[in-house]
Amino acid sequence: MTRSTADGPDFASASVARHLVRGAVGFGALAGSFALLPAVGPVGLALLPVGVLALRGCPMCWAVGLAQTVSRGRLRRSCEDGRCAVARPSDADSRSAGAA
């Protein structure tokens, strides 16, 4: 379900559009499962697993994945001498080139 990296679990998608589609399916299935309860009874709860799978867990997991998807390729974490910083890839590359 999630890939694990050195920094922690990865909930990101390949693109922002794909992530937004997953969110629409997931939140739609969750809302639909409860909205259909009066019409079809407990059978409507069959949509709950679909929503949870589409969101890769809980709605917060989806939100974290959205932030990871948006920032992927734009920010890079680098640690030197016990100090860590988040910078743009071009800034981190120039800093490491200046140290060499």
Side-chain angles (χ1 to χ4, degrees), residues 38-73:
V40 296
V43 175
L45 294 177
L47 288 175
L48 273 176
V50 174
V52 170
L53 285 174
L55 295 176
R56 293 186 186 167
C58 61
M60 183 55 91
C61 298
W62 180 84
V64 168
L66 179 61
Q68 288 177 342
T69 303
V70 169
S71 70
R72 177 158 288 162

Side-chain angles (χ1 to χ4, degrees), residues 3-91:
R3 297 174 302 277
S4 183
T5 63
D7 297 329
D10 186 12
F11 295 102
S13 296
S15 70
V16 173
R18 182 177 294 179
H19 200 83
L20 292 176
V21 167
R22 273 192 30 244
V25 169
F27 287 115
L30 289 178
S33 69
F34 291 110
L36 291 174
L37 274 175
V40 296
V43 175
L45 294 177
L47 288 175
L48 273 176
V50 174
V52 170
L53 285 174
L55 295 176
R56 293 186 186 167
C58 61
M60 183 55 91
C61 298
W62 180 84
V64 168
L66 179 61
Q68 288 177 342
T69 303
V70 169
S71 70
R72 177 158 288 162
R74 295 183 185 178
L75 298 174
R76 183 176 296 158
R77 181 177 159 196
S78 61
C79 297
E80 294 177 11
D81 300 326
R83 297 179 70 187
C84 295
V86 177
R88 293 184 179 135
S90 59
D91 295 343

